[in-house]
């Protein structure tokens, strides 16, 4: 009884999940939620999705220092990808967040201030080529029963990478919207058992390689010493 | 080559960095290092504090007064967590420190071993660099890198988390010298276009106003900045931490900025046509409400920390670099100028503040003693040459406002995070950093008790700290806010006090209490002429307020002169 009245009182039925209403309301598909937040965030003053590309030395503990800068400024990280870069010894972080440009500049400055960070920049989607990957685990019986499933997979240019009598694994690479669209369409057919989306990776469209230029400049300074 | 332990390597590496004093406290996980220290007693003077927080504050006091890196050494777990307040304080106030903490051996890391705390995890958000030394081979490199990072660029605290196996492990010791880190550029090259533009903006300005911060002090740029201000006759105000960057009595000095600063510089911030910020960071205690702060003016910001540009205040021109280089470069391009009528515009505000606030604070005719008069008398009795150390609260604001500064590096106060308990240990450190200077520490009855155990350190070391306890039987600063913003509801700010004279005497520190105004001069003279430490307790008016005041979030030019 008590839980029910709590659920009603809190007025935020999508989060507490303690009453029947919560069950009904917690249904809106993920992609719709994401799109809605995107729209809301973009409408709110000048908030945009920015992609931060950060290069650092490969030292332990830096990831938490970098994410702490975002958290302290109350910027929520939407996606994060970290791995070795093409520059020996340097790690590359690709982080996306909604914020305004002033905040993006501030975050970049604070991140660069960490001793072992080489460079940090922020970009809008126009400045970079981006990619994401998703994996979907799809029910084989449903797929066999409903031809639309495989039609959709082909239509979206996704690949089936594994099939067995219970499930198939579908892989799709593209931009966020394409991936969400595929997921949305497939979930309407009630065949999705699992869904996972990777963080974004990105490459700049610029004709100069800022990191290389920076490292060359630093090397020159080292030799001058 | 002979092999030595990592602990011995630590001692040699510290000596190699020119360290001659360590403030510390031993314990299990740092014992091998303390054992090595036993053989270096002659070269590395160890000051045994009575609480690790005191070790860090003492190292801060030492660093701030001397410009050298302060060094603290403590054990793992609680020893290390006790240093966190000081580390955060040093980060906010740009103080170069190296804090060495013991740590359990690497084999036990992450197992919740006895006295294991994730020190790097806890301290890295509040330090300039935090590093775990896991092997004896890394000691020389890590220590050199730590000192390089702590003192270069915008200085700050560095933490070395020294695993026990790295202390006991054997190594072929080779001194290391780190003076270059490719991801870190503490010596940014000047952009001459910016210098030219700065000079042009200043030459074009009719009502320029400069804000002097601790960066000028840290950069050792007093002469350069003086020449700059004098050539174009630019009036200036100083931040709390920048108060002794230039002399109080400099004719262009219009006073202190900020919440409890002087009226003139705060009001004129919103009347100038060009704001020239040098080595300061537009803290909210300086700016008040940002949306009305200096909106009429163009802003030039000189700083060594690029992350400060446009952080709080939008700037029209950012000049990245060491002010010791950038300022003379601009000076060269400046036209000689006079801004007499602009400068004389500060005068009415100074007079108004003197009549309404200052005169009453330093020249009271009757009633109980006031903080302001005690501070001014101590300052003058020391020929305005002493080092001022304060704790936090009303004592700090009265101390900083009414002390006068002639020499550089004369203000040691916890500005950025306002740490009560900072004063006493910082003053101990200052006596070691400036053995030839008189160190006067003002504190309240609240703050003194936060680190009062350091009386033991004073006793043992004979540290000549002149402690001036401004006792008002209240947590005065909070009481003032309760009076102003919480309807005089004095929620837990009145305080029952012990007999401080008795406590001091127990530690063999000479002490005296002054209640009557007529006894004050003599008591101050006696304090200053008594060699070694001294406690002067002044019975201060219980309910008094620091004025003027810009209430938090109010416009910078909207100061209250009375409440
Ligand atoms: C460690 C810490 N705790 C609490 C505070 C909040 N605080 C700021 S000023 C103040 C009162 C200080 O009282 P006292 O030391 O007696 O000095 P006074 O203001 O009376 O001069 C307090 C409690 C603080 N700054 N630091």
């Amino acid at each position: 009884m008590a839980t029910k009245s709590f659920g009603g009182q809190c007025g935020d039925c999508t989060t507490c999940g303690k009453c029947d209403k919560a069950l009904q309301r917690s249904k809106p598909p993920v992609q719709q939620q994401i799109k809605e937040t995107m729209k809301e965030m973009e409408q709110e003053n000048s908030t945009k999705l920015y992609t931060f590309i950060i290069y650092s030395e490969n030292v332990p503990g830096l990831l938490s220092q970098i994410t702490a800068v975002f958290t302290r400024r109350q910027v929520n990280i939407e996606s994060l990808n970290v791995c070795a870069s093409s520059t020996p010894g340097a790690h590359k972080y690709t982080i996306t967040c909604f914020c305004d440009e002033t905040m993006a500049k501030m975050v970049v400055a604070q991140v660069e201030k960490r001793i072992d960070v080489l460079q940090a920049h922020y970009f809008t989607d126009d400045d970079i080529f981006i990619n994401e990957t998703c994996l979907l685990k799809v029910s084989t019986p449903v797929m066999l029963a409903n031809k639309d499933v495989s039609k959709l997979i082909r239509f979206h240019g996704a690949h089936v990478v594994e099939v067995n009598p219970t499930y198939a694994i579908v892989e799709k690479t593209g931009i966020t919207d394409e991936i969400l669209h595929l997921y949305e369409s497939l979930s309407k057919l009630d065949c999705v058992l699992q869904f996972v989306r990777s963080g974004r990776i990105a490459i700049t469209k610029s004709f100069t390689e800022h990191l290389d230029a920076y490292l060359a400049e630093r090397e020159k300074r080292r030799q001058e010493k | 080559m002979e092999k030595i332990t990592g602990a011995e390597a630590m001692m040699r590496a510290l000596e190699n960095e020119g360290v001659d004093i360590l403030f510390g406290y031993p314990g299990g996980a740092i014992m091998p290092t303390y054992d090595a220290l036993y053989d270096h007693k002659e070269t590395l003077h160890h000051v045994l504090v009575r609480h690790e927080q005191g070790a860090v504050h003492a190292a801060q006091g030492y660093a701030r007064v001397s410009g050298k890196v302060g060094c603290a050494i403590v054990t793992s777990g609680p020893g290390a967590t006790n240093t966190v307040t000081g580390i955060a304080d040093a980060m906010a106030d740009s103080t170069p420190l190296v804090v060495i903490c013991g740590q359990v051996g690497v084999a036990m890391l992450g197992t919740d071993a006895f006295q294991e705390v994730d020190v790097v995890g806890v301290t890295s958000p509040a330090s300039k660099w935090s590093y775990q030394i896991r092997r004896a081979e890394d000691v020389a490199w890590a220590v050199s890198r730590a000192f390089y990072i702590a003192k270069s660029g915008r200085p700050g605290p560095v933490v070395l988390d020294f695993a026990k196996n790295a202390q006991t492990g054997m190594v072929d010791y080779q001194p290391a010298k780190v003076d270059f880190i490719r991801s870190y550029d503490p010596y940014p090259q000047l952009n001459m276009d910016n210098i030219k533009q700065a000079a042009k903006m200043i030459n074009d300005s009719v009502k320029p106003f400069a804000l002097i911060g601790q960066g000028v002090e840290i950069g050792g740029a007093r002469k350069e900045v003086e020449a700059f201000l004098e050539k174009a006759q630019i009036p200036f105000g100083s931040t709390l931490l920048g108060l002794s960057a230039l002399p109080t009595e400099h004719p262009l000095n219009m006073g202190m900025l900020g919440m409890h600063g002087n009226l003139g510089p705060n009001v004129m911030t919103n009347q100038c046509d060009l704001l020239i910020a040098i080595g300061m960071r537009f803290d909210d205690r300086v700016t008040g409400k940002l949306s009305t702060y200096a909106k009429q003016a163009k802003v030039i910001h000189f700083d060594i920390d690029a992350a400060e540009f446009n952080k709080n205040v939008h700037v029209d021109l950012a000049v990245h670099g060491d002010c010791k280089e950038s300022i003379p470069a601009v000076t060269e391009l400046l036209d000689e100028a006079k801004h007499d009528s602009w400068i004389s515009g500060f005068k009415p505000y100074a007079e108004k503040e003197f009549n309404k606030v200052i005169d009453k604070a330093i020249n009271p005719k009757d009633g109980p003693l006031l903080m302001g008069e005690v501070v001014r008398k101590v300052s003058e009795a020391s020929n305005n040459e002493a080092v001022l150390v304060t704790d936090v609260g009303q004592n700090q604001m009265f101390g900083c406002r009414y002390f006068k500064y002639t020499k550089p590096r004369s203000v040691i106060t916890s500005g950025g995070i306002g740490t009560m308990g900072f004063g006493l240990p910082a003053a101990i450190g200052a006596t070691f950093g400036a053995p030839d200077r008189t160190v006067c520490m003002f504190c309240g009855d609240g703050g003194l008790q936060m680190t009062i155990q350091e009386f033991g350190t004073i006793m043992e070391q004979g540290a000549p700290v002149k402690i001036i306890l401004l006792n008002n039987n209240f947590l005065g600063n909070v009481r003032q806010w309760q009076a102003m913003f919480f309807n005089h509801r004095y929620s837990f700010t009145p305080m029952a006090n012990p007999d401080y004279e008795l406590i001091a005497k127990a530690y063999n520190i000479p002490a005296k209490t002054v209640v009557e105004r007529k006894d004050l001069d003599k008591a101050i003279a006696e304090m200053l002429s008594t060699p070694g430490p001294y406690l002067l307790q002044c019975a201060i008016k219980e309910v008094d307020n620091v004025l003027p005041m810009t209430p938090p979030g109010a416009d910078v030019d909207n100061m209250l002169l009375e409440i």
Side-chain angles (χ1 to χ4, degrees):
Chain A
M1 273 341 267
T3 46
K4 204 151 192 164
S5 78
F6 175 69
Q9 276 169 4
C10 76
D12 186 2
C13 290
T14 51
T15 52
C16 90
K18 288 191 178 153
C19 64
D20 307 343
K21 227 162 130 199
L23 289 175
Q24 292 158 16
R25 285 237 240 141
S26 68
K27 273 283 181 189
V30 193
Q31 78 284 357
Q32 195 181 320
Q33 272 178 33
I34 296 176
K35 274 189 191 159
E36 272 167 18
T37 7
M38 274 187 173
K39 237 188 263 159
E40 266 169 39
M41 303 282 270
E42 295 203 353
Q43 275 162 3
E44 241 178 61
N45 50 57
S46 44
T47 300
K48 259 201 208 133
L49 184 71
Y50 284 99
T51 302
F52 296 79
I53 298 184
I54 299 163
Y55 291 96
S56 81
E57 301 291 7
N58 179 14
V59 295
L62 208 55
L63 175 61
S64 65
Q65 292 179 38
I66 289 172
T67 54
V69 171
F70 289 81
T71 320
R72 259 188 92 189
R73 301 300 317 218
Q74 304 166 70
V75 178
N76 246 334
I77 291 179
E78 298 290 324
S79 85
L80 170 87
N81 179 284
V82 190
C83 66
S85 76
S86 53
T87 305
H91 261 55
K92 177 170 178 168
Y93 302 66
T94 310
I95 300 176
T96 63
C97 322
F98 286 100
C99 61
D100 64 23
E101 188 165 12
T102 318
M103 183 59 82
K105 279 186 183 155
M106 226 148 14
V107 165
V108 158
Q110 300 282 354
V111 167
E112 269 195 345
K113 191 168 161 174
R114 299 312 307 189
I115 301 290
D116 293 301
V117 170
L118 290 157
Q119 270 201 324
H121 293 287
Y122 66 92
F123 301 93
T124 61
D125 286 0
D126 297 337
D127 312 322
I128 47 179
F129 289 108
I130 53 183
N131 233 334
E132 282 167 27
T133 289
C134 81
L135 295 174
L136 290 134
K137 188 174 177 183
V138 176
S139 154
T140 308
V142 180
M143 189 153 71
L144 292 176
N146 185 347
K147 289 277 170 280
D148 287 350
V149 174
S150 49
K151 252 196 221 162
L152 267 175
I153 293 172
R154 254 176 290 137
F155 174 76
H156 282 275
H159 304 286
V160 176
V161 290
E162 157 93 35
V163 195
N164 63 39
T166 317
Y167 61 79
I169 304 285
V170 177
E171 177 206 282
K172 157 95 189 137
T173 295
I175 59 172
T176 322
D177 268 358
E178 295 166 351
I179 286 172
L180 291 178
H181 192 198
L182 169 66
Y183 170 63
E184 195 176 346
S185 322
L186 285 178
S187 23
K188 277 194 194 131
L189 304 179
D190 263 338
C191 63
V192 180
L193 302 171
Q194 278 185 45
F195 169 64
V196 65
R197 193 154 66 94
S198 74
R200 165 179 289 197
I201 53 172
I203 272 182
T204 61
K205 291 182 182 171
S206 153
F207 293 105
T208 44
E209 297 311 318
H210 294 291
L211 180 66
D212 294 347
Y214 172 81
L215 292 176
E217 202 270 326
R218 294 298 293 154
E219 187 52 34
K220 207 175 115 215
R221 287 283 290 279
R222 182 210 296 272
Q223 280 165 13
E224 280 165 12
K225 277 187 75 87
Chain B
M1 192 187 277
E2 66 157 339
K3 292 228 181 212
I4 59 171
T5 63
E8 174 64 21
M10 173 62 78
M11 296 301 110
R12 296 192 195 177
L14 291 174
E15 285 170 359
N16 193 40
E17 291 297 332
V19 175
D20 53 16
I21 185 164
L22 297 166
F23 302 91
Y25 209 94
I30 195 74
M31 282 179 70
T33 302
Y34 266 81
D35 190 59
L37 180 58
Y38 204 56
D39 293 328
H40 290 256
K41 278 188 297 202
E42 304 301 316
T43 44
L44 295 170
H45 178 65
H46 179 269
V47 176
L48 179 70
V49 293
R50 297 301 188 262
H51 184 290
E52 290 87 352
Q53 182 184 353
V56 184
H57 291 330
Q60 288 180 274
Y62 172 84
R64 297 243 316 243
V65 82
S66 67
K68 294 193 245 173
V69 178
C71 225
I73 178 164
V74 303
T75 190
S76 67
T81 54
N82 277 346
T83 65
V84 172
T85 304
I87 291 167
D89 193 285
M91 187 68 179
D93 288 351
S94 313
T95 309
L97 293 186
V98 171
V99 179
I100 301 157
C101 306
Q103 180 57 286
V104 301
V106 291
M108 291 165 91
L109 283 171
T111 65
D112 302 325
F114 179 64
Q115 295 194 329
E116 184 202 357
V117 165
D118 176 4
V119 169
V120 171
V122 169
T123 58
S124 55
S127 60
K128 198 171 168 189
W129 186 53
S130 189
Y131 184 78
Q132 188 168 64
I133 305 179
R134 297 180 183 154
R135 312 179 310 165
E137 292 91 311
D138 296 338
V139 170
W141 169 84
V143 170
S144 181
R145 197 176 201 255
F147 278 80
Y148 175 65
I149 290 172
K151 68 187 174 210
S152 59
R154 177 175 176 178
V158 170
V159 177
L160 291 176
D161 190 32
F162 197 11
K164 201 161 180 181
N165 61 290
Q167 299 175 46
T168 52
M170 303 301 282
V171 59
D172 285 330
Y173 175 74
Q174 286 277 352
K177 185 167 162 59
V178 175
D179 58 3
F180 183 89
I181 298 172
R182 73 172 179 170
S183 59
Y184 167 65
D185 185 7
Y187 306 108
Q189 279 169 334
L190 287 188
N191 174 333
M192 287 318 282
D193 290 341
N194 284 347
I195 298 288
K196 279 182 208 148
Q197 201 188 330
K200 179 168 183 334
M201 287 168 76
I202 297 169
N203 287 336
D204 288 348
S205 158
V206 184
K207 299 188 285 183
F209 182 49
L211 312 176
I212 304 299
Q214 195 196 194
V216 174
E217 192 99 275
I218 294 170
R222 173 184 279 211
K223 265 213 212 97
E224 290 78 0
V225 171
E226 246 170 6
F228 165 84
L229 297 168
E230 285 165 11
K231 186 166 181 189
Q233 288 293 302
I234 302 168
F236 68 91
S238 306
T239 66
L240 185 72
L241 266 54
L243 279 174
S244 65
L246 298 170
T248 310
E249 300 290 354
H250 192 289
L252 292 168
N253 192 343
M254 300 298 141
M256 178 169 131
L257 301 164
M259 179 176 272
H260 289 299
N262 294 114
L263 182 61
N266 280 327
V267 170
M268 298 305 251
T269 298
N270 273 4
Q271 293 185 19
C272 64
D273 63 4
L274 180 67
L275 205 57
I276 307 160
I278 310 177
M280 58 84 72
R281 62 186 177 93
F282 293 107
D283 178 68
D284 57 86
R285 285 297 191 261
V286 161
T287 62
K289 191 172 173 181
L290 280 172
S291 58
T292 58
Y293 182 79
K295 286 293 167 201
Q296 79 295 342
K298 289 224 161 19
V299 182
I300 309 180
H301 192 177
F302 293 86
D303 210 288
I304 197 154
D305 179 359
E308 289 301 342
F309 299 134
N310 293 306
K311 188 181 79 177
N312 297 335
V313 169
H314 169 79
V315 301
D316 299 278
L317 177 66
V319 184
H320 188 204
D322 183 344
C323 62
K324 201 175 173 69
E325 289 171 19
S326 56
I327 293 295
V330 175
T331 309
E332 220 166 276
L333 306 176
L334 285 188
D335 300 336
E336 281 185 27
K338 287 211 182 330
H339 298 105
D340 291 343
S341 71
W342 162 238
I343 292 171
S344 61
F346 285 78
K347 225 180 183 172
Y349 295 108
E351 276 164 10
K352 189 169 170 193
E353 184 185 347
F354 184 84
N355 293 331
K356 289 215 150 169
V357 178
I358 300 175
D359 193 34
K360 291 177 190 159
I362 60 175
N363 301 313
K365 302 285 171 294
D366 42 34
L369 287 176
L370 300 183
M371 290 192 187
E373 65 177 318
V374 177
V375 170
R376 180 55 64 87
K377 285 214 151 96
V378 172
S379 180
E380 282 168 353
S382 74
N383 206 15
N384 303 320
E385 285 178 355
V387 176
L388 168 79
V389 184
T390 78
D391 205 80
V392 166
Q394 294 186 315
N395 61 85
Q396 174 183 37
M397 290 301 128
F398 279 112
C400 292
R401 277 179 61 86
Y402 295 114
F403 215 75
K404 289 189 175 181
Y405 314 94
T406 51
K407 298 189 165 179
R409 296 192 174 275
S410 297
V411 189
I412 299 174
T413 189
S414 169
I417 75 166
T419 304
M420 279 174 74
F422 172 86
L424 188 65
I428 296 173
T431 62
F432 287 99
D436 302 333
R437 299 184 66 184
T438 304
V439 175
C440 297
M441 195 284 287
F442 293 87
C443 62
D445 38 325
L448 177 63
Q449 292 185 85
M450 283 214 173
T451 46
I452 198 167
Q453 72 286 347
E454 301 307 334
F455 275 4
T457 312
I458 291 180
M459 171 181 70
E460 191 166 284
Q461 299 286 331
V465 181
K466 309 299 180 191
I467 306 159
I468 300 108
L469 168 59
L470 303 171
N471 189 344
N472 56 8
N473 290 319
F474 266 107
L475 298 175
N477 211 70
V478 179
R479 189 213 52 74
Q480 175 173 348
W481 283 47
Q482 287 170 336
M484 294 176 71
F485 311 119
F486 294 89
N487 217 1
H488 293 267
R489 285 157 54 88
Y490 294 157
S491 178
F492 302 100
T493 46
M495 218 173 32
N497 268 312
D499 183 336
Y500 291 103
E501 262 190 80
L502 257 183
I503 297 177
K505 283 181 178 149
Y507 286 94
N508 216 7
I509 298 171
K512 183 161 235 159
T513 298
V514 184
V515 181
E516 305 277 340
R517 182 158 291 116
K518 63 178 175 28
D519 302 326
L520 185 58
D521 287 320
K522 203 169 144 242
I524 291 173
E526 188 180 320
M527 168 182 78
L528 293 176
S529 62
T530 305
Y534 197 96
L535 172 78
L536 177 63
Q537 172 173 230
C538 300
I540 297 291
K541 183 178 173 189
E542 291 204 346
V543 174
D544 194 15
N545 298 314
V546 189
L547 287 167
M549 176 172 187
T550 312
D555 308 331
V556 66
D557 56 350
N558 191 2
M559 289 196 98
L560 304 174
L561 290 173
E562 54 204 345
I563 44 177

